[in-house]
Amino acid sequence: MTKIKICGLSRECDIKAVNEIKPEYIGFVFFKKSKRYVSPEKALELKKILDKEIKAVGVFVDEDIKTVEKFLKSGIIDIAQLHGNETDDYIKSLKELTVQPVIKAFKIRSLSDIEKAEKSLADMILLDAGMGDGKVFDWSLVSGFKRPYFLAGGLDCTNAQSAVSQLHPYALDVSSGVETGGLKDIQKMTAFINAVRKEDEI
């Protein structure tokens, strides 16, 4: 079954919504330049009311490794997602400091990007078009990709089924595709979940 990650949650109503519709993962963005940035204090409040079966992922961009370690060990997040220029040495060091999984995001523009992603030391891989800008990359580049991966970039309820049927990714990662006016929309989130689950049943 294809898993689902809804990223960029920042409000209590967002958490209550996901507790009802049950994606496997949610994401808190800790990159201060992002419009979806959430403070550590707010994220901790939200994590406390998050369903225990849903894993919280923290999104970081070239953050100090000790800061990421602190987030993981404090219980604010269960998984770290690295969305910057973090090297394999960085990932190796982080994995030595903590026991939680590490996701490394890769911007996919060519086959060389795919090759880099396949060789990464991260526990899990995320393939995206850019920095959460809601664009779809060329899915044909993923043909033959050998690792399970999160697929991100331009996903919404209109193309979720196609993504699952064509690519069979480990998970779909959605953010702007389930928003209205820059805020999470429970109707769109529900439609997205239903689209993925429906395709899985076929």
Side-chain angles (χ1 to χ4, degrees):
M1 185 179 77
T2 306
K3 301 185 185 305
I4 296 165
K5 174 169 168 268
I6 299 179
C7 200
L9 305 190
S10 60
R11 303 173 298 166
E12 187 174 323
C13 61
D14 297 338
I15 300 298
K16 289 180 177 177
V18 296
N19 284 346
E20 287 183 27
I21 59 178
K22 296 279 194 300
E24 285 77 15
Y25 304 91
I26 61 97
F28 295 130
V29 178
F30 298 116
F31 181 49
K32 289 184 179 178
K33 292 181 181 179
S34 170
K35 60 185 178 184
R36 299 181 184 91
Y37 171 77
V38 63
S39 70
E41 296 77 19
K42 184 63 177 178
L44 182 58
E45 285 178 27
L46 298 175
K47 179 65 158 56
K48 286 177 180 176
I49 60 172
L50 180 68
D51 187 303
K52 297 293 186 276
E53 294 183 2
I54 302 172
K55 298 293 184 186
V57 179
V59 178
F60 303 93
V61 179
D62 299 323
E63 184 59 79
D64 181 84
I65 198 166
K66 288 292 185 181
T67 301
V68 180
E69 177 192 12
K70 185 175 164 184
F71 272 85
L72 288 164
K73 291 185 173 178
S74 67
I76 298 175
I77 55 172
D78 305 299
I79 301 168
Q81 178 178 316
L82 310 176
H83 225 296
N85 298 303
E86 300 87 0
T87 63
D88 270 347
D89 286 341
Y90 181 106
I91 293 167
K92 183 181 178 182
S93 297
L94 181 59
K95 289 174 71 173
E96 288 171 353
L97 291 169
T98 69
V99 296
Q100 289 95 332
V102 176
I103 302 170
K104 178 69 182 89
F106 288 85
K107 299 173 191 173
I108 304 302
R109 296 190 175 90
S110 66
L111 284 173
S112 65
D113 298 323
I114 289 288
E115 290 167 5
K116 288 177 189 173
E118 283 188 333
K119 295 174 183 175
S120 173
L121 293 181
D123 299 290
M124 294 182 275
I125 298 300
L126 184 144
L127 307 180
D128 199 352
M131 287 287 290
D133 49 13
K135 295 178 182 176
V136 179
F137 66 87
D138 180 1
W139 289 352
S140 69
L141 293 170
V142 186
S143 176
F145 191 69
K146 299 178 179 65
R147 296 180 64 166
Y149 61 92
F150 288 75
L151 178 69
L155 295 171
D156 56 32
C157 62
T158 67
N159 61 9
Q161 285 179 285
S162 296
V164 174
S165 63
Q166 290 179 40
L167 304 176
H168 308 290
Y170 168 76
L172 296 186
D173 188 325
V174 65
S175 186
S176 60
V178 291
E179 292 179 347
T180 298
L183 296 172
K184 292 297 179 284
D185 183 321
I186 186 169
Q187 291 183 323
K188 289 183 179 179
M189 288 193 285
T190 303
F192 187 87
I193 293 251
N194 289 342
V196 176
R197 299 287 183 250
K198 182 179 179 182
E199 183 58 35
D200 277 330
E201 289 170 4
I202 295 173

